[in-house]
Amino acid sequence: MVRLRKRALLPAWLRRAVLGWFDARYISRADHRQDIKDALWEVQTLGREVTALRAEVDRLRAQVAKATPEQARVTRWDDAHRLAQETAAAMEQVLQNEVLLWQAVDSRGTGAP
């Protein structure tokens, strides 16, 4: 590849303006290298953090696998859940009956059959 280069005399202010424009527009190689080094350091740091988090997750999973609830406690939880569902169903029936009662009272007050 052949490079053709011409030199011309330029005023110093024009040369500074053009170089300033290039400097503002483009990043220097040294800055680019530093950015790459910083990015690599960040990636390595994140890799170490991910490794530490994976080890902690494995430790917690092993801890959870060892901790099994007692059978008596599981039975109580099941009973409490069943009773809560039955209470909710009964409460829903009570509220429906109350709505029907107030509808009957309203219709009686207006004189409609």
Side-chain angles (χ1 to χ4, degrees), residues 16-110:
R16 278 194 304 270
V18 169
L19 289 177
W21 180 76
F22 276 124
D23 287 345
R25 183 137 188 191
Y26 299 104
I27 188 170
S28 68
R29 286 185 181 180
D31 289 341
H32 189 62
R33 284 188 186 114
Q34 187 61 43
D35 287 346
I36 290 174
K37 287 178 185 176
D38 291 344
L40 180 61
W41 180 81
E42 285 285 334
V43 167
Q44 290 170 344
T45 301
L46 288 174
R48 287 191 295 269
E49 289 179 5
V50 166
T51 303
L53 287 173
R54 282 186 182 150
E56 186 172 351
V57 165
D58 291 341
R59 182 184 61 81
L60 290 173
R61 282 186 180 153
Q63 191 177 17
V64 166
K66 285 192 295 186
T68 56
E70 302 167 3
Q71 188 60 33
R73 209 174 253 190
V74 171
T75 304
R76 282 182 46 204
W77 290 339
D78 290 342
D79 287 342
H81 181 68
R82 180 185 53 80
L83 288 172
Q85 286 182 331
E86 290 175 4
T87 303
M91 199 62 186
E92 183 179 356
Q93 188 63 40
V94 166
L95 291 174
Q96 287 176 357
N97 288 340
E98 185 178 357
V99 167
L100 291 175
L101 176 69
W102 282 108
Q103 286 175 349
V105 167
D106 288 343
S107 66
R108 194 73 168 139
T110 60

